[in-house]
Every structure is written in structure tokens, then in C-alpha cells.
Amino acid sequence: AALGYKVLLAVGIEVQGRAAQEVVQELAELPEVFAAHLVTGARDIEILVALHDLAELQPFMMEKITRVKGIRSMSAGIAADIVKFNFDVAPIR
């Protein structure tokens, strides 16, 4: 919030017809995406997104993400409250 971002979004993405590694690399280049992960489970990729406000949600989801080829489906969730946010637990490089 101190930097003007009021919306935190987690997006799970299922890939089809293209390597997930290629899709996640392209998604990671979007300026709104601050974390991009290849994951196991129901989805292939998870991205974390920071937006200034809800007005940016529709253009981001419908214009930016849908331009990335290979996305079969996506499921987004907006963080209603941040209970814990601590990246000092382990050195990640």
C-alpha cells in the first residue's frame, strides 16, 4: 500500500499446447507480475500480481494475460487480507 498498490492477486494457470516454462517466462515479463512459479497440482503456473486498484483488474486479466499463447484456463483470487508477509525467512536467489 505504501507504494500505491492496493490489490494483490494470485492467479493459477493451466497450460495447453505450449511448454509451461515458455508461458511462465512470458508472464514473468509483465510489469504487474512480481512472482511467477511453475507448480505441481491442478495448475501448471502460479503468478502473484500487484495492481494499483480494481480498475486495473479487467484490463490485466482480459488484455494482457489472454495475449499469452498456451493458456488453457486461469483462476484468480484477490487477497482480502494479508495475514503474514515475510520474505526474510530464507535467502532466495
Side-chain angles (χ1 to χ4, degrees), residues 32-75:
E32 298 88 350
V33 174
F34 69 90
H37 310 105
L38 290 169
V39 296
T40 61
R43 305 288 185 213
D44 302 302
I45 297 169
E46 181 181 90
I47 59 173
L48 300 178
V49 178
L51 303 173
H52 291 99
D53 54 47
L54 285 174
E56 294 180 352
L57 180 60
Q58 191 274 341
F60 178 76
M61 295 294 289
M62 302 308 295
E63 295 170 17
K64 290 191 174 188
I65 287 188
T66 56
R67 287 186 183 152
V68 177
K69 293 191 185 325
I71 294 177
R72 179 176 183 261
S73 67
M74 57 185 163
S75 174

